[in-house]
Amino acid sequence: MKVKKAVITAAGLGTRFLPATKIVPKPMLPVFDKPTIQYIMEEINDAGISDVAIIISPNSTDIKRHFSEYPLLEKNLKETGKKELYDIAMKTRSFGNITYVVQEKPTGLADAVLCAESFAGGEPFALLMGDEIYDYSSVKTSCLKKLINEYDETGASQVNTINVFGDDVSKYGNLDAEYEGGRLKVKNIIEKPSLSEAFSNLGSVGRYVLSPKVFDYIKSTRPETSSGEVYLTDALKALAENDGLYACEFDEKRYDIGDKAGYIEANVDFALKNEKIKEELKDYLKSLSEKL
Ligand code: G1P
């Protein structure tokens, strides 16, 4: 079955970014001049999908408002002839068919994914973490499109992978994977292992294409005893064992918006792409680097 739907998880409490995220949900933090979640929505549309569910927390009405009409602003921009700004404002509500699903309690990623079960309606779906963005402007195929193409060809679930080293190994799901017929087949996966528990230097990161079977595995996975949280990674392990899971490498740059340094890097890189300010910013960065 073709992948026609996408799910963005955007319901976290954003505790790593307090106090900025006390009221403003983390996916609404701007990267240069756009909220993080708009980059993600553009990535989804560019991969050919316009049917999207966003999993939000009970307070995250800002996300819904961002993708909705704003009559006062639109009327003002139209009447004052600010065509470029009018188009920018209108674009925010042109991303397709968006369903909002509220995750009532912050009980982790797997539970957030489970909120999308009825939206998925028994179909495979792309899953995107709401706090990661990918700059695919200089690659031929975005990683999301690649995952979708691989799902279409193999009929098996897919996860994005990066090489991780040292302490970073324990920040990600970790893969036991081997090349089979030119593809990285996942045999096992463990959530954020210690260095000694890790299978490899392959970490799993924020883009997936999943078979709807994942919902049954989430429901039948025992929660972690300490936190009471079901790990999505444990459901992916069941997918790998029973139905097949592949890992896909990618070429574009990934930014972790939930990480303070990653957030600043994203802002600098995206600002440097803006024709109007890039020269001024470069001069500033050069003068700054002399002082560092
Ligand atoms: C989640 C997943 C983890 C993955 C990571 C990066 O963790 O649980 O497996 O490696 O995202 O995409 P989080 O960073 O949300 O704690």
Side-chain angles (χ1 to χ4, degrees):
M1 197 181 269
K2 289 257 177 215
V3 182
K4 294 181 301 224
K5 296 178 178 180
V7 174
I8 306 174
T9 54
L13 289 180
T15 47
R16 283 191 290 171
F17 241 112
L18 282 169
T21 48
K22 183 181 167 193
I23 301 301
V24 177
K26 189 166 55 173
M28 281 302 292
L29 291 181
V31 170
F32 183 47
D33 58 0
K34 254 191 286 191
T36 300
I37 198 159
Q38 186 168 332
Y39 289 90
I40 299 174
M41 202 60 108
E42 289 172 4
E43 178 187 349
I44 291 171
N45 278 188
D46 286 348
I49 295 181
S50 56
D51 211 357
V52 185
I54 307 180
I55 315 302
I56 56 173
S57 71
N59 300 352
S60 291
T61 45
D62 286 21
I63 295 178
K64 201 170 176 177
R65 285 167 64 205
H66 180 72
F67 292 118
S68 306
E69 61 176 350
Y70 186 175
L72 185 71
L73 175 73
E74 290 158 13
K75 187 167 174 279
N76 176 282
L77 294 175
K78 197 172 194 170
E79 284 175 2
T80 52
K82 295 182 177 138
K83 167 106 181 55
E84 202 182 325
L85 294 176
Y86 177 77
D87 290 346
I88 289 172
M90 293 304 281
K91 183 170 179 191
T92 59
R93 56 181 179 99
S94 69
F95 290 110
N97 183 19
I98 307 177
T99 304
Y100 297 90
V101 188
V102 176
Q103 183 187 19
E104 294 296 340
K105 288 190 185 144
T107 37
L109 184 57
D111 184 55
V113 173
L114 200 51
C115 292
E117 186 175 17
S118 82
F119 165 79
E123 293 183 30
F125 62 98
L127 174 66
L128 299 94
M129 303 293 111
D131 58 0
E132 290 186 26
I133 56 178
Y134 291 72
D135 179 9
Y136 51 95
S137 57
S138 56
V139 300
K140 214 171 117 229
T141 313
S142 73
C143 64
L144 181 63
K145 186 79 193 126
K146 249 168 135 176
L147 296 171
I148 292 170
N149 293 345
E150 286 296 298
Y151 186 96
D152 286 345
E153 278 179 36
T154 61
S157 300
Q158 310 285 329
V159 54
N160 243 6
T161 184
I162 50 167
N163 285 307
V164 282
F165 301 97
D167 290 345
D168 280 353
V169 167
S170 308
K171 288 187 190 162
Y172 301 96
N174 189 269
L175 304 175
D176 176 8
E178 263 170 30
Y179 277 100
E180 260 180 37
R183 293 188 164 96
L184 258 176
K185 181 126 206 252
V186 178
K187 313 251 176 259
N188 204 345
I189 174 167
I190 180 173
E191 178 70 354
K192 300 181 185 150
S194 65
L195 268 180
S196 59
E197 290 169 320
F199 298 121
S200 70
N201 291 103
L202 296 174
S204 64
V205 286
R207 299 291 183 261
Y208 311 76
V209 171
L210 300 176
S211 145
K213 286 185 181 156
V214 73
F215 298 117
D216 291 333
Y217 295 129
I218 292 173
K219 285 184 253 182
S220 60
T221 298
R222 282 217 330 268
E224 271 301 292
T225 42
S226 52
S227 60
E229 176 181 339
V230 172
Y231 286 147
L232 177 65
T233 298
D234 289 337
L236 297 182
K237 177 182 159 86
L239 260 183
E241 284 167 357
N242 302 307
D243 307 282
L245 174 69
Y246 290 93
C248 262
E249 289 153 312
F250 57 93
D251 302 316
E252 62 258 55
K253 185 159 178 189
R254 164 184 173 270
Y255 298 92
D256 180 359
I257 300 305
D259 174 78
K260 286 180 178 161
Y263 177 67
I264 298 298
E265 269 179 42
N267 272 282
V268 173
D269 284 357
F270 280 91
L272 281 171
K273 288 169 180 289
N274 183 278
E275 289 303 325
K276 287 187 191 144
I277 68 150
K278 75 175 183 193
E279 293 311 323
E280 192 182 333
L281 184 58
K282 271 188 201 165
D283 288 345
Y284 173 67
L285 291 173
K286 280 181 203 153
S287 72
L288 189 64
S289 75
E290 284 160 17
K291 292 185 213 146
L292 297 175

